[in-house]
Amino acid sequence: MKLSPQIKSNAVYTIALLYMILFVYAAISKLLDYDNFQAQLGQSPLLGAFVGIISWLVPAVEIIIAIALIIPKLRVIALYSGYSLMVMFTAYIYIILNFSNYIPCSCGGILEELNWTDHLIFNSTFVLLAAVGLLLSSEPRRLKLTVLLLVATAILSTGFITLLNYMSEDLSKNHNSFIRNFHFLAEKRNELVFDYNSNYIAGIGKDKIYLGNYGAPFQITVLDTALNVLAQPKIKLVPENLTFHSAVVRVRPPYFFFIDGTTPCVFRGTLTDWKATLKWKDSTWFSHPEIIDSVNIAFKTSKANLDATIGTLNLQNGKVHFADAILTRQIDGRFDSDGTLQFDSLTNRLTYLYRYRNQYTLAGRNLNVITRGKTIDTISKAKIEVADIEERHERKMSKPPLIVNKGNVVHKNLLFVNAGLVGRYEDSQMWKESSIIDVYDTDSKSYISSFYIYDVGGKKLRSFMVRGDMLYAMIGNSIVSYRLNSKITDYYRKPFKDSNSIN
């Protein structure tokens, strides 16, 4: 059936009018709720690294196209532009649905009530409408050329979105663009509430969790993985006449270690009777003890000039070994090197994460530096000020420092960081109600994703541990378990001997 020129003209005008209404409404909706629009774009796994440009460019382009559609001489060009933009939107949604690690929130505005599949159908419909309008606008002898232009435009538009996806992912994961990707990757499973908040996770075995208590250092609570209390044994030491100031317990089945770095001393015993004997006592002050194996312990200490360093202790021969290359000096060598030391028995690697800068160091059990990496925030130099009190021979912070990393856990090749800084386009209210965990692959030195650990009773995350697909968190008076989504655990390198025991 051959359509008359008037019908074609009316059809093209109607399609142009629909596009104009869509783009004007969409642009105004974005601009009126600009902060929300920008924040939602910031959570996009495809466009997060380009939010600053895209957040104003998209509504600007939509308004320009809408104006051009009113002008008859520019209508064809405007339809091609609208067609290209809608192809980009459609390709974006298709990639989100089929290739993204997670699906972010809806984009709001005119399509606020639609889910992502509805978006795809809606956008595809407008792509077809623009194509029909352009075909109807074409002269019969130029119909093949119009078809070729439509195909070429679709290919180029899809290719552009695919390129943006690749570039955004590369920037977010490898070039410290401080924009987080939030995935729903931790599902709360169980919670156990105590009458006090002095518990800490001393260690995790195959099917048991061991809690120590800062207020009662000899008291242990043994839980199963469902957070049911199995036993509450008390530690017995031989000899018993030492004075302790900052004792902690570290459990690595079949052993446990009772350690005080200020006395300083190390006791070791077995989990069968919870009796420990003195294995080492010396004058070398240390902190952050990490069990390497049954006779070797890694720790942090200070040199004669007060610069921090990492060392190891051998309980068999009593020898202490230091490795100055792990920590790097920036300002004073002591406060600027503050951080947390972790040892992972599955990889036989130590990880040191700095507290006031975006850096971490991986080292072997012999303290040889393997590599250095960065977290996604931009603070590469510690923002601290230090004062020396000569009368007391003391060195102190002269003002509150900027905390970049609050704490961390290492499991296999993944680094889980309790983040200290708010990223761009993040909701400040969420920071008041939760803690943010950033996840990194230390093998590729890349950022993977982030997720929330919500406050309990108004109290924030104090510490946590990860084993396999489970995360156990101390929050206020509670210990809470979470199951990690496969989108995290799939990043674990294999093979690993998934055991926490000392052989």
Side-chain angles (χ1 to χ4, degrees):
M1 178 180 173
K2 189 175 181 180
L3 300 176
S4 67
Q6 186 62 39
I7 293 176
K8 288 183 179 180
S9 177
N10 290 339
V12 172
Y13 178 79
T14 302
I15 292 171
L17 184 62
L18 288 172
Y19 258 84
M20 185 183 67
I21 294 171
L22 172 66
F23 284 164
V24 168
Y25 192 98
I28 291 175
S29 297
K30 294 179 178 74
L31 294 175
L32 289 178
D33 197 14
Y34 183 76
D35 290 339
N36 183 49
F37 171 60
Q38 193 177 59
Q40 288 172 337
L41 275 180
Q43 304 310 317
S44 167
L46 274 66
L47 307 176
F50 305 106
V51 172
I53 298 175
I54 293 175
S55 60
W56 63 262
L57 183 60
V58 169
V61 169
E62 288 174 336
I63 291 172
I64 292 170
I65 293 174
I67 294 173
L69 285 167
I70 301 173
I71 305 170
K73 290 183 179 181
L74 299 178
R75 188 165 293 152
V76 172
I77 296 176
L79 275 177
Y80 270 113
S81 300
Y83 169 78
S84 175
L85 194 60
M86 291 307 293
V87 169
M88 290 183 195
F89 291 162
T90 304
Y92 169 76
I93 294 171
Y94 183 81
I95 294 172
I96 286 285
L97 289 174
N98 293 277
F99 301 104
S100 174
N101 284 336
Y102 79 109
I103 298 175
C105 296
S106 174
C107 62
I110 192 172
L111 304 178
E112 187 173 6
E113 301 302 323
L114 302 183
N115 60 36
W116 283 95
T117 302
D118 294 335
H119 282 190
L120 185 64
I121 296 171
F122 184 92
N123 288 1
S124 299
T125 300
F126 268 82
V127 168
L128 291 175
L129 281 174
V132 169
L134 288 165
L135 290 171
L136 292 175
S137 300
S138 177
E139 298 177 9
R141 60 188 178 84
R142 298 174 62 88
L143 197 59
K144 289 185 178 179
L145 178 60
T146 301
V147 173
L148 289 175
L149 285 174
L150 287 170
V151 172
T153 301
I155 292 173
L156 289 174
S157 300
T158 303
F160 179 70
I161 286 296
T162 304
L163 179 62
L164 279 184
N165 176 34
Y166 173 78
M167 293 174 63
S168 181
E169 184 177 10
D170 181 60
L171 285 170
S172 295
K173 291 188 175 182
N174 301 311
H175 298 287
N176 297 308
S177 177
F178 194 18
I179 301 174
R180 290 187 172 92
N181 293 326
F182 284 97
H183 298 186
F184 300 98
L185 299 180
E187 177 189 358
K188 184 176 179 180
R189 303 303 297 268
N190 297 293
E191 178 181 351
L192 176 62
V193 182
F194 293 91
D195 295 330
Y196 39 83
N197 64 356
S198 53
N199 281 328
Y200 62 92
I201 302 176
I204 299 179
K206 186 176 181 181
D207 53 5
K208 292 183 177 67
I209 303 164
Y210 301 89
L211 303 184
N213 189 315
Y214 291 118
F218 299 104
Q219 181 67 58
I220 297 294
T221 301
V222 184
L223 310 175
D224 62 18
T225 54
L227 305 187
N228 298 305
V229 177
L230 299 179
Q232 291 185 304
K234 285 192 175 181
I235 293 174
K236 297 179 181 179
L237 302 181
V238 179
E240 300 179 338
N241 58 351
L242 294 181
T243 300
F244 305 109
H245 303 282
S246 58
V248 293
V249 177
R250 296 286 185 265
V251 176
R252 283 279 303 281
Y255 299 103
F256 76 93
F257 299 77
F258 188 92
I259 304 171
D260 193 325
T262 58
T263 299
C265 63
V266 178
F267 290 76
R268 189 187 69 191
T270 63
L271 302 180
T272 54
D273 57 10
W274 291 97
K275 293 180 180 179
T277 57
L278 182 65
K279 295 297 180 181
W280 178 85
K281 189 178 185 306
D282 197 70
S283 58
T284 303
W285 173 92
F286 64 90
S287 63
H288 299 79
E290 284 292 304
I291 308 304
I292 295 177
D293 55 36
S294 60
V295 296
N296 290 288
I297 299 173
F299 57 84
K300 180 185 176 185
T301 188
S302 296
K303 296 183 289 186
N305 64 354
L306 298 183
D307 280 12
T309 189
I310 302 298
T312 55
L313 161 66
N314 186 294
L315 297 179
Q316 284 185 326
N317 55 31
K319 291 184 178 181
V320 177
H321 171 64
F322 299 104
D324 295 339
I326 293 178
L327 303 185
T328 56
R329 195 181 205 273
Q330 286 189 336
I331 298 171
D332 72 320
R334 180 184 178 187
F335 292 114
D336 62 11
S337 297
D338 192 13
T340 51
L341 181 67
Q342 296 277 327
F343 178 77
D344 181 59
S345 60
L346 302 179
T347 59
N348 267 323
R349 295 190 307 199
L350 286 161
T351 302
Y352 191 85
L353 176 71
Y354 291 96
R355 184 172 177 81
Y356 305 126
R357 44 176 144 149
N358 64 347
Q359 299 167 9
Y360 62 87
T361 302
L362 294 183
R365 57 182 292 149
N366 295 324
L367 304 187
N368 57 303
V369 174
I370 298 173
T371 189
R372 302 183 194 273
K374 292 184 178 182
T375 54
I376 60 173
D377 51 83
T378 56
I379 309 300
S380 59
K381 185 174 182 179
K383 294 186 180 300
I384 63 171
E385 290 187 12
V386 179
D388 289 314
I389 313 300
E390 295 182 2
E391 296 82 0
R392 299 185 180 183
H393 303 287
E394 293 179 356
R395 182 180 295 172
K396 292 184 177 181
M397 293 270 200
S398 58
K399 73 174 188 179
L402 180 67
I403 298 175
V404 177
N405 303 305
K406 296 179 181 178
N408 72 289
V409 163
V410 178
H411 185 54
K412 300 182 180 180
N413 58 295
L414 297 190
L415 171 64
F416 298 80
V417 177
N418 183 5
L421 297 181
V422 181
R424 293 172 64 191
Y425 316 115
E426 291 177 12
D427 186 352
S428 59
Q429 186 62 33
M430 289 301 298
W431 277 83
K432 296 177 182 179
E433 300 174 354
S434 62
S435 298
I436 309 299
I437 304 297
D438 297 329
V439 187
Y440 303 86
D441 184 341
T442 57
D443 286 349
S444 62
K445 294 194 289 188
S446 63
Y447 166 68
I448 295 174
S449 179
S450 302
F451 58 90
Y452 297 107
I453 296 293
Y454 290 93
D455 300 349
V456 175
K459 302 297 184 180
K460 290 200 168 294
L461 175 70
R462 295 191 286 113
S463 63
F464 64 106
M465 278 195 179
V466 174
R467 287 296 178 271
D469 63 350
M470 295 300 297
L471 183 149
Y472 301 96
M474 302 302 306
I475 308 175
N477 290 12
S478 301
I479 179 170
V480 186
S481 65
Y482 297 83
R483 185 172 297 280
L484 300 177
N485 192 282
S486 61
K487 287 181 172 59
I488 284 183
T489 58
D490 284 350
Y491 278 90
Y492 286 143
R493 296 287 185 267
K494 303 187 183 315
F496 283 112
K497 181 182 179 183
D498 200 0
S499 169
N500 229 21
S501 61
I502 298 175
N503 295 322

